[in-house]
Amino acid sequence: DYFKWLDDYTELLNYLGKPQTEFSTIVFDRHTLPSGVLPLVCQQNRPGLVQFFYRQMDENSQLTEIYVLDENGSLYFQQRPFHNEETLLSHYNHFFENITNRMSFLMHEGQPASAINGIEFHTIKRDARGKRVLYQQGLPQRGAGADYIKLLVIVELNELGKTNFVLYCNNREFSTLEYGSGLFDAVAGYILSLRGSVHSYPIYITDISISRPALTEAKISRVQTRHFLTYKQRIEDQLNHAMNRLD
């Protein structure tokens, strides 16, 4: 038998988020976190599906909790500012569709990757008795949230083995080669100029391409959605920090 001691809830989230070579179900003892969100989310776990769950912290909160179970059952968790439901769901739907295509391409090129057979969206709310329940959301219609800016990130290695980024924002190119350490400030400044007077909502990445050498350097042998979400969060954090400085 295998036993792993975890010190706290954060460590549990990190442990459940580890990559997996094949699908694995997460099962909670009924006495563990009986009124928590995590057991409720993990009950829905299905192989081959990317399942997105979110809840607002409370009615007046500007934060939302995001849980994603990917096609192998690896968990992704993030707290982030909440702008509106349509933008949140449509941008993630667009992102997952792009990642599905990226993974298919990698498999075609001989890179081990996990197949995605579907995408689901759920919201977490309380019912009339105060019990947490899940409500499945329909997939956003094409064109929903179309006012947000399309942002593609390409992750690659240069000849010295250093990670380079190329970002395409509404088809305008920004690269590490051109901007160096000022790359994220340049992109954030450009996005602010496009937004006009409405600055407050977060910057979202809608697509990521990771080169095979970059995957090797990151020691990623079998690609799954969890890897793309990790890159997405890291780069979005830097972009949003840059935006807050500039705004």
Side-chain angles (χ1 to χ4, degrees):
D1 292 340
Y2 177 76
F3 176 81
K4 175 74 173 177
W5 180 271
L6 302 173
D7 289 331
D8 54 32
Y9 188 71
T10 300
E11 195 170 338
L12 173 64
L13 291 170
N14 292 335
Y15 184 77
L16 295 179
K18 289 185 176 182
Q20 304 183 123
T21 56
E22 58 186 23
F23 177 78
S24 178
T25 303
I26 302 169
V27 180
F28 280 80
D29 183 279
R30 63 188 179 90
H31 297 294
T32 303
L33 302 172
S35 60
V37 172
L38 197 52
L40 180 65
V41 165
C42 291
Q43 286 173 10
Q44 311 304 310
N45 204 5
R46 301 290 185 275
L49 294 180
V50 174
Q51 297 170 294
F52 179 94
F53 308 82
Y54 78 99
R55 76 177 185 102
Q56 281 187 264
M57 303 295 287
D58 58 61
E59 290 185 3
N60 300 315
S61 176
Q62 297 302 307
L63 287 176
T64 185
E65 282 187 346
I66 292 170
Y67 301 80
V68 179
L69 287 169
D70 78 2
E71 63 283 355
N72 281 3
S74 293
L75 176 73
Y76 170 82
F77 171 79
Q78 185 185 15
Q79 264 188 15
R80 66 175 308 153
F82 181 76
H83 179 51
N84 63 54
E85 184 179 89
E86 181 182 68
T87 301
L88 179 73
L89 297 182
S90 57
H91 116 260
Y92 267 103
N93 185 49
H94 191 67
F95 178 79
F96 291 140
E97 287 181 341
N98 286 329
I99 297 311
T100 300
N101 293 332
R102 297 281 177 200
M103 301 246 269
S104 295
F105 177 78
L106 286 170
M107 285 190 285
H108 180 72
E109 293 293 304
Q111 173 73 41
S114 303
I116 300 173
N117 300 320
I119 303 164
E120 292 181 355
F121 289 88
H122 303 261
T123 182
I124 305 165
K125 296 185 177 180
R126 292 189 184 272
D127 62 16
R129 296 174 295 173
K131 181 181 178 181
R132 284 199 176 101
V133 292
L134 295 177
Y135 296 95
Q136 186 164 350
Q137 304 277 96
L139 290 179
Q141 294 183 354
R142 290 195 174 274
D147 56 333
Y148 66 81
I149 295 164
K150 306 299 187 294
L151 185 57
L152 163 65
V153 177
I154 298 174
V155 185
E156 53 190 17
L157 291 187
N158 64 17
E159 63 278 4
L160 299 176
K162 300 288 186 181
T163 302
N164 277 349
F165 297 101
V166 180
L167 284 77
Y168 288 92
C169 182
N170 281 9
N171 297 319
R172 177 169 171 179
E173 180 181 320
F174 298 82
S175 69
T176 304
L177 182 63
E178 181 179 1
Y179 290 96
S181 61
L183 172 64
F184 298 112
D185 283 346
V187 175
Y190 179 64
I191 290 174
L192 286 174
S193 73
L194 295 177
R195 288 182 176 179
S197 60
V198 183
H199 292 174
S200 59
Y201 60 97
I203 295 173
Y204 299 114
I205 292 168
T206 54
D207 193 6
I208 296 179
S209 173
I210 308 173
S211 70
R212 293 184 69 179
L215 290 170
T216 301
E217 178 68 17
K219 297 181 173 56
I220 298 173
S221 57
R222 185 177 185 84
V223 187
Q224 60 188 94
T225 299
R226 182 68 174 81
H227 295 121
F228 289 94
L229 287 167
T230 299
Y231 272 99
K232 174 179 166 67
Q233 181 175 350
R234 289 175 182 169
I235 299 168
E236 283 179 348
D237 284 348
Q238 294 189 68
L239 287 170
N240 285 303
H241 288 154
M243 180 181 68
N244 292 334
R245 288 196 306 271
L246 296 171
D247 190 12

